[in-house]
Amino acid sequence: MSDSAYLHTVSMNDLYQNIYQSRPPVIDGLLYPGTYLFAGAPKVGKSFLMAQLAYHVSTGLPLWDYPVHKGTVLYLALEDDHRRLQGRLYRMFGTEGTNDLLFAVYAKQLGVGLEEQLKKFVREHPDTKLIIIDTLQKIREAGGDKYSYANDYEVVGKLKRFADDCGVCLLLVHHTRKQQADDKFDMISGTNGLAGAADGAFLLQDDMRKPFGSPPPRRSFFPRARDATMGFEYRPVR
């Protein structure tokens, strides 16, 4: 269409006539294709929970009684090295490994090659269901107005376009602020542009900080996303 003022529209009746293929969940009642923030305070156990999600999706094992749909998982563990990853995974899962969970400790940044890397991975692994980027800060473009609403929205928007085009679930690990808020999700670091562009968000919190020698604290896991169930408590595997 050569008309620069052309606006493509579709009528309600035409919309009803189209048949859109549904995208099955990754974890029933919990995790669906799309782009989601996963936020928590430093050292609260985000990477352990990400490893747990990744392992269960790559093996198809049920997670907390939620049915899991098996598929390839890519975990960009950008704040780790291979030695730390090996130690964490061995502590969590012993010697039971899987070839369907792949790790990278380095990736390009958004806007300078990351999208191409992710697209190539999905082409080479067409059964990919879950991609974890740990952390979002590691792949943000350098320079510019990094913490404006517009920039936050654009960063997540680019990643969402990739996830939607490829039909995968993309989890973006991020941090929370120290300041408390009436709405827990207002504690996510950055502007509302991050959550505004995403399909949803998950929040991981300690119930309380316990003295040395006490039993491990429970973590509260709160989803705010389409089709996700209510929050629950769990003890992370470590």
Side-chain angles (χ1 to χ4, degrees):
M1 177 63 66
S2 58
D3 184 357
S4 61
Y6 172 76
L7 177 66
H8 177 72
T9 63
V10 59
S11 73
M12 184 175 178
N13 282 335
D14 287 342
L15 191 63
Y16 280 180
Q17 293 302 314
N18 287 328
I19 299 175
Y20 298 98
Q21 184 177 4
S22 63
R23 291 176 174 176
V26 179
I27 301 175
D28 286 357
L30 182 64
L31 203 56
Y32 291 76
T35 302
Y36 305 91
L37 298 173
F38 187 94
K43 313 304 179 188
V44 77
K46 297 187 297 296
S47 294
F48 280 91
L49 181 51
M50 290 299 97
Q52 197 169 357
L53 287 171
Y55 181 80
H56 281 259
V57 173
S58 65
T59 59
L61 295 172
L63 178 69
W64 311 316
D65 297 324
Y66 288 86
V68 173
H69 299 264
K70 184 179 183 298
T72 295
V73 178
L74 172 63
Y75 189 161
L76 302 186
L78 305 179
E79 293 188 338
D80 285 312
D81 57 31
H82 291 139
R83 180 189 61 80
R84 287 183 65 188
L85 274 174
Q86 182 191 65
R88 182 183 306 142
L89 295 170
Y90 185 79
R91 286 164 60 191
M92 295 177 70
F93 309 115
T95 58
E96 294 298 323
T98 169
N99 288 324
D100 293 320
L101 173 52
L102 295 101
F103 295 90
V105 295
Y106 171 79
K108 295 180 179 179
Q109 289 183 310
L110 195 62
V112 288
L114 176 66
E115 299 99 312
E116 289 74 17
Q117 287 182 318
L118 296 179
K119 288 176 182 177
K120 182 177 181 181
F121 181 89
V122 173
R123 286 196 303 269
E124 294 174 347
H125 303 85
D127 62 338
T128 299
K129 289 192 178 296
L130 175 62
I131 297 176
I132 298 168
I133 298 179
D134 187 357
T135 62
L136 174 62
Q137 188 63 32
K138 283 287 189 178
I139 55 91
R140 294 192 69 156
E141 298 164 277
D145 188 6
K146 293 179 65 175
Y147 301 106
S148 68
Y149 180 96
N151 184 263
D152 283 349
Y153 194 94
E154 179 62 18
V155 164
V156 177
K158 287 180 180 179
L159 293 166
K160 176 174 165 53
R161 285 191 290 274
F162 156 75
D164 290 347
D165 289 345
C166 296
V168 301
C169 176
L170 182 61
L171 284 179
L172 309 174
V173 180
H174 195 47
H175 297 297
T176 53
R177 302 187 184 97
K178 290 183 179 179
Q179 296 87 345
Q180 296 297 312
D182 292 336
D183 185 337
K184 295 178 186 295
F185 288 87
D186 286 341
M187 294 171 60
I188 295 174
S189 182
T191 73
N192 289 334
L194 295 174
D199 292 301
F202 298 85
L203 195 65
L204 181 64
Q205 285 188 315
D206 265 344
D207 286 357
M208 60 182 296
R209 298 289 184 178
K210 294 193 174 184
F212 179 78
S214 299
R218 288 186 180 272
R219 266 66 171 179
S220 293
F221 181 50
F222 302 98
R224 178 177 288 177
R226 292 195 305 262
D227 305 314
T229 58
M230 298 301 291
F232 55 90
E233 295 181 339
Y234 83 106
R235 289 189 187 275
V237 177
R238 294 198 179 189

